[in-house]
Amino acid sequence: KAGVTQTPRYLIKTRGQQVTLSCSPISGHRSVSWYQQTPGQGLQFLFEYFSETQRNKGNFPGRFSGRQFSNSRSEMNVSTLELGDSALYLCASSGGTGTGNTIYFGEGSWLTVV
Amino acid sequence: QKEVEQNSGPLSVPEGAIASLNCTYSDRVSQSFFWYRQYSGKSPELIMSIYSNGDKEDGRFTAQLNKASQYVSLLIRDSQPSDSATYLCAVNKIGGTSYGKLTFGQGTILTVHP
């Protein structure tokens, strides 16, 4: 059974640019959530999508957005990149309902903003 | 008070010893609890999930949950140098707008020395 796949794995962007990250969840999983990990702030929740609808959102500015497609694949976009957006971006996949709902992470996308 | 707090590290144990990692959470509504292991430069890897009070064992790992005390722990028996990593406690609330949102502790760095 394939795991959570994130692309690209590594990327370097310039301040002011935008970036799009992609995530394919585990087959059959309908929930995809995104996290940002930095040394100073740890792992922080960005947003979660379930059946193409954003179900939950963390405390990040509107420059961070996402969407989910009918096949459950998800993308997140960061516009007008800032140096502080340099981080590991993690996608997590789960069945999406009820207790006993295990959540698995992809390998992450390392974003460096210069 | 932070939503999820882990015992301050770093924690250093000799090979073969028991490593004890602790986590407390503030929201009584929390229903699912996870322990992730993260090696440097890698994404979090799920080790254990626990949903009911009591102990849950998987190989050398035992998770313990006490909802009355809002406390969850992870014991690693016969610790090995390969267990050296950052251990992350994560909590999930089910229902409402909380689906798919994991709240993480700050992590505990474990070092197992030969």
Side-chain angles (χ1 to χ4, degrees):
Chain A
K1 189 175 186 180
V4 183
T5 304
Q6 290 188 245
T7 57
R9 291 293 319 284
Y10 304 92
L11 64 168
I12 300 174
K13 291 287 187 178
T14 303
R15 273 183 302 173
Q17 288 186 315
Q18 72 165 6
V19 66
T20 299
L21 308 177
S22 179
C23 173
S24 293
I26 292 170
S27 178
H29 282 189
R30 297 162 63 190
S31 168
V32 173
S33 49
W34 290 88
Y35 295 80
Q36 181 196 65
Q37 187 174 32
T38 59
Q41 299 297 318
L43 265 157
Q44 294 186 289
F45 173 79
L46 281 157
F47 30 65
E48 187 236 358
Y49 288 87
F50 180 80
S51 293
E52 301 180 66
T53 300
Q54 186 180 86
R55 191 161 63 171
N56 204 346
K57 189 176 189 302
N59 295 323
F60 278 81
R63 300 186 297 107
F64 292 81
S65 63
R67 59 178 175 168
Q68 186 179 33
F69 302 96
S70 58
N71 61 358
S72 294
R73 189 177 70 86
S74 176
E75 289 180 347
M76 69 162 282
N77 184 78
V78 187
S79 63
T80 318
L81 284 165
E82 302 176 358
L83 295 178
D85 297 332
S86 296
L88 174 63
Y89 289 88
L90 292 160
C91 169
S93 161
S94 70
T97 59
T99 306
N101 181 33
T102 308
I103 301 173
Y104 299 94
F105 283 90
E107 292 185 304
S109 293
W110 289 92
L111 172 64
T112 300
V113 182
V114 297
Chain B
Q1 182 186 8
K2 292 183 179 179
E3 286 192 64
V4 181
E5 291 201 64
Q6 298 184 232
N7 54 322
S8 58
L11 178 64
S12 180
V13 301
E15 185 174 355
I18 296 176
S20 178
L21 303 162
N22 304 314
C23 175
T24 58
Y25 58 95
S26 61
D27 193 337
R28 287 190 174 273
V29 179
S30 301
Q31 293 180 288
S32 301
F33 307 87
F34 304 90
W35 284 100
Y36 289 87
R37 176 175 64 196
Q38 187 173 28
Y39 293 113
S40 180
K42 301 293 186 181
S43 65
E45 172 192 8
L46 180 66
I47 299 175
M48 294 283 286
S49 57
I50 187 166
Y51 312 104
S52 304
N53 279 326
D55 294 0
K56 179 181 178 182
E57 187 175 317
D58 184 1
R60 298 186 294 112
F61 300 96
T62 299
Q64 300 173 317
L65 175 61
N66 183 326
K67 289 187 178 181
S69 300
Q70 296 175 241
Y71 174 91
V72 59
S73 67
L74 178 71
L75 299 178
I76 306 174
R77 292 182 300 281
D78 187 23
S79 295
Q80 301 296 311
S82 59
D83 294 325
S84 299
T86 298
Y87 288 80
L88 297 161
C89 171
V91 172
N92 182 218
K93 294 182 286 188
I94 304 301
T97 60
S98 299
Y99 276 108
K101 177 183 178 181
L102 288 174
T103 302
F104 283 87
Q106 74 275 26
T108 299
I109 298 173
L110 171 66
T111 301
V112 181
H113 53 87

